[in-house]
Amino acid sequence: MRRNTRLPAALLAVLLTAALSTACGSDDDNGKGASSSGGSAPDKVTYITGFGTFGREAYAYVAQDKGYFSDAGVSVTIQPGQGSAISLAALAGGRARFAPVDLSSTIMQVGSGKVSGVTAVAAVHQTTDAAVMALADSGISKPADLEGKKIADPAGSVIGALFPAYAKLAGFDADKVDFVNLEPQQLGVNLAAGKVDAVGQYRVGRPNIENAVKGKDVVVLPFGKFLTESYGSAITTTTKIAEEDPDLVRRFTSALLKGMRYAIDHPEEAASVLAKKHPTVNEKAAAAEIELVGEAVQPKEDGAPIGTMDRERVAGAIKALVDAGAVKSGLTPEQLVSFDLVPKS
């Protein structure tokens, strides 16, 4: 898979510093309050969104706006994220306590030894939400059609990281695809202008792409069709926090997922809450994204709560990436997920 630009380690550090310099939400700094009980100061938490301030991230702002965090004894600073790789680095470096991180990215980062000391505690998306999108009149209708094409994707995106595994499972040559790095806001614009043939995008981000291409039909090629065992984003923290303060993890996760349930049931209101924090947000597109998120978060198992994670499925996700050559064998589900903290019925 060819890329005409790469993100140097120094630039990653600059982006991370910039991403974490401006808090959106609470003005509290990351840290721990005196106590989470008995009326003492709330626990202070920095939370990084999965990617920017798209509609898919509204649930965290809803949890804050509705007082779910404060009811749980947590004061949360919400910061726009820059993708899974940077969020993992922030968690491992102690610059944040929680972030939604694509589980496949965690598998590859932990499996390669690039990151350690992180653990998932709840699923956000029950299937991988990674996808490639193209205009319907581009001639791209199936994965093999991507050979010889140019795909735009943000630097450090999990979609680019997963692409070789997706290509192998889908039966085409990833080395015959040219990847270029663009900022998230530039993906739809460049697709509409014909400067690229396709873009990497989460499936729930389709409304933003459709808004950018002004009503043209969009083809979606979801990775989940081939990476069938994979989860998408999962709420991730450090193993230190999970082991030393499981009560904080449960309280934060419960409040965050309560915000998710409310956002799904009230997408327009959730989009409005997000737009109040970030006035540049397109409320219509954000509400449409939230409706798609509602489909993505529903567990496959009847009666299972939002956020649930299954050990066998995580093992299957690892195996799929091992078989695709994306990670070496030997990684276990327990190295990735704190199953005792995952929401249960």
Side-chain angles (χ1 to χ4, degrees):
M1 181 175 64
R2 303 189 304 276
R3 287 184 179 272
N4 65 356
T5 58
R6 296 185 63 184
L7 197 65
L11 182 54
L12 270 172
V14 172
L15 283 174
L16 176 58
T17 301
L20 298 180
S21 64
T22 303
C24 300
S26 168
D27 291 329
D28 295 322
D29 294 328
N30 188 34
K32 184 175 177 62
S35 173
S36 61
S37 61
S40 299
D43 292 295
K44 295 181 180 180
V45 165
T46 294
Y47 169 87
I48 306 175
T49 69
F51 212 115
T53 57
F54 295 106
R56 73 198 74 152
E57 311 292 350
Y59 63 104
Y61 295 94
V62 169
Q64 188 176 68
D65 184 74
K66 295 294 179 183
Y68 300 153
F69 287 139
S70 60
D71 289 346
V74 187
S75 176
V76 179
T77 294
I78 304 173
Q79 298 176 343
Q82 294 285 336
S84 292
I86 295 179
S87 291
L88 284 171
L91 292 170
R95 293 179 289 275
R97 289 192 161 198
F98 297 93
V101 177
D102 192 285
L103 187 65
S104 294
S105 180
T106 302
I107 292 172
M108 290 186 286
Q109 293 283 318
V110 173
S112 65
K114 294 180 180 178
V115 172
S116 63
V118 296
T119 184
V121 294
V124 178
H125 303 137
Q126 290 290 320
T127 58
T128 180
D129 215 37
V132 169
M133 299 185 189
L135 296 179
D137 60 6
S138 66
I140 298 172
S141 62
K142 59 184 183 298
D145 294 334
L146 294 172
E147 289 188 359
K149 300 298 193 297
K150 182 184 291 186
I151 300 178
D153 190 47
S157 166
V158 70
I159 295 171
L162 271 179
F163 192 81
Y166 165 67
K168 183 173 182 178
L169 293 170
F172 69 96
D173 190 349
D175 289 333
K176 294 181 179 179
V177 180
D178 188 21
F179 264 69
V180 297
N181 295 143
L182 290 176
E183 292 298 315
Q185 296 82 0
Q186 296 301 313
L187 295 178
V189 174
N190 280 267
L191 182 64
K195 295 181 178 180
V196 296
D197 302 298
V199 296
Q201 179 63 269
Y202 274 163
R203 184 188 59 83
V204 297
R206 179 173 182 166
N208 278 291
I209 298 299
E210 290 177 332
N211 181 63
V213 301
K214 303 187 184 306
K216 294 182 180 179
D217 291 335
V218 174
V219 172
V220 179
L221 302 178
F223 288 16
K225 183 176 180 179
F226 299 93
L227 294 165
T228 56
E229 293 299 304
S230 298
Y231 287 91
S233 294
I235 303 305
T236 304
T237 187
T238 66
T239 52
K240 180 179 175 65
I241 292 174
E243 292 170 359
E244 296 183 0
D245 202 346
D247 178 63
L248 170 63
V249 174
R250 291 189 178 96
R251 285 185 287 114
F252 174 82
T253 302
S254 177
L256 183 65
L257 294 181
K258 188 175 181 180
M260 173 70 81
R261 286 189 290 270
Y262 190 93
I264 291 169
D265 291 340
H266 307 85
E268 292 182 358
E269 182 182 348
S272 177
V273 169
L274 178 63
K276 287 178 182 177
K277 294 288 186 180
H278 300 280
T280 59
V281 166
N282 181 307
E283 286 192 44
K284 184 177 179 180
E289 266 203 25
I290 295 165
E291 290 182 1
L292 289 175
V293 168
E295 301 171 13
V297 303
Q298 294 302 323
K300 296 180 179 180
E301 303 82 5
D302 291 339
I306 289 176
T308 190
M309 299 184 77
D310 178 74
R311 186 192 184 284
E312 295 307 314
R313 277 196 60 199
V314 175
I318 296 171
K319 184 179 184 302
L321 291 175
V322 170
D323 291 346
V327 67
K328 294 180 180 179
S329 61
L331 201 60
T332 67
E334 287 75 16
Q335 290 175 273
L336 302 165
V337 181
S338 295
F339 290 101
D340 56 329
L341 297 177
V342 168
K344 299 175 177 63
S345 301

